Amino acid sequence: MRHTPSGGADSGTAAADSQLMSIGTVLNVLREEFPEVTISKIRFLESEGLIEPQRTPSGYRKFGARDVERLGRVLRMQRDHYLPLKVIREYLDALERGEEVWPPSLGRQQRDVGGTEALGGLLSDPEAPTVARIDRDQLLGAVEIGEEQLKEWESYGLVVPLPDGTYDAEAVTVATLVAELGRHGIEPRHLRVMKAAADREAGLVDQIVAPLRRHRNPQTRAHAEARTQELAGLAVKLHAALVRSALGVRQP
């Protein structure tokens, strides 16, 4: 027997339904912080298991406040930390289960104009948390690119898979940055000069620490890795400072 709207179960259901949002409404809410988000992006995140909106009998998606909050966290972690979706999903799922987990970290810790303080800090901190290797499909999904784009980036040596075909954290960071530069009209072929400069800087660092790595003392060899991290962080900061100086850009 149906209850009238003045009370009972149907009243509670109607109230609950009125608090649910359509995907279009959710899009408008998210665009205040994430202007580039699209309906396709929200659907993609659902297909990857990041959110599970309710469905009406007709099949329309309905989002609650918790869904929108989780979407915001996902987009924020992608934007600010360049994390693969699999890592984000596992982290958020662990939080919902009440587990105590450290926030995962990849690439820059936070956005800033120069991008050097956060990245430099990560490079110089051997204890900084990292993410596991991911396969090719996961990389494509994390960066939201197609197979042909990835092949092009690999042909220029911008993204390099490991011997077993997987990718490490740095490959995800590089791919995300290449994609972001692409949205500003900078094509992969334009980045060859950056890749060449990075290879030369890496060669210089390797030349400095090579004697330490070959040392018989295990502690000395371990010190070589710490020195590599330190020099890499300094090289990143110097490179960013030189680019800003050449462009006449002041760091706030």
Side-chain angles (χ1 to χ4, degrees):
M1 178 177 178
R2 291 181 58 84
H3 294 273
T4 64
S6 60
D10 277 5
S11 177
T13 302
D17 289 344
S18 67
Q19 296 175 2
L20 296 177
M21 292 173 275
S22 67
I23 193 170
T25 302
V26 171
L27 181 66
N28 291 332
V29 171
L30 293 173
R31 275 185 170 169
E32 293 183 9
E33 183 179 354
F34 310 100
E36 295 183 357
V37 71
T38 62
I39 287 180
S40 297
K41 171 76 171 184
I42 296 174
R43 289 172 176 165
F44 173 74
L45 293 176
E46 179 188 0
S47 70
E48 292 295 308
L50 274 301
I51 53 170
E52 295 182 9
Q54 299 181 33
R55 293 276 187 162
T56 67
S58 302
Y60 292 103
R61 296 172 178 81
K62 289 294 183 179
F63 299 79
R66 291 185 63 183
D67 295 318
V68 178
E69 180 183 0
R70 182 171 169 116
L71 268 172
R73 296 190 70 174
V74 170
L75 294 171
R76 208 168 289 114
M77 293 176 77
Q78 269 197 309
R79 180 194 66 193
D80 297 344
H81 302 287
Y82 297 144
L83 290 167
L85 294 179
K86 178 182 178 182
V87 175
I88 296 175
R89 184 180 66 246
E90 292 176 350
Y91 170 66
L92 294 180
D93 288 347
L95 285 182
E96 291 188 356
R97 291 193 298 268
E99 299 177 10
E100 294 186 6
V101 290
W102 286 98
S105 176
L106 176 63
R108 289 180 294 180
Q109 297 297 299
Q110 59 185 13
R111 283 196 174 234
D112 60 289
V113 175
T116 57
E117 288 301 322
L119 181 55
L122 179 64
L123 286 172
S124 61
D125 181 7
E127 299 299 324
T130 57
V131 299
R133 295 177 181 180
I134 62 174
D135 61 29
R136 194 175 187 84
D137 289 339
Q138 290 171 328
L139 176 62
L140 294 173
V143 189
E144 297 182 53
I145 57 172
E147 179 69 31
E148 292 304 314
Q149 278 183 284
L150 182 54
K151 287 181 178 179
E152 181 183 13
W153 297 356
E154 289 177 334
S155 70
Y156 288 113
L158 299 172
V159 179
V160 180
L162 298 170
D164 61 0
T166 61
Y167 299 85
D168 61 14
E170 289 305 326
V172 181
T173 303
V174 170
T176 305
L177 291 170
V178 171
E180 190 167 336
L181 288 169
R183 287 192 284 270
H184 293 277
I186 300 179
E187 300 178 11
R189 59 188 176 88
H190 299 144
L191 302 177
R192 287 181 294 184
V193 60
M194 294 187 181
K195 178 64 169 62
D199 289 341
R200 288 194 296 269
E201 292 168 8
L204 177 60
V205 172
D206 187 66
Q207 181 180 349
I208 294 173
V209 299
L212 298 177
R213 287 175 173 164
R214 294 194 296 264
H215 204 279
R216 294 181 179 181
N217 190 323
Q219 292 183 345
T220 302
R221 292 198 299 270
H223 179 65
E225 297 308 314
R227 178 64 63 85
T228 300
Q229 293 281 348
E230 180 182 4
L231 291 174
L234 292 172
V236 169
K237 290 183 179 181
L238 175 60
H239 182 87
L242 290 172
V243 172
R244 287 197 305 271
S245 177
L247 294 173
V249 177
R250 294 183 178 181
Q251 178 147 10

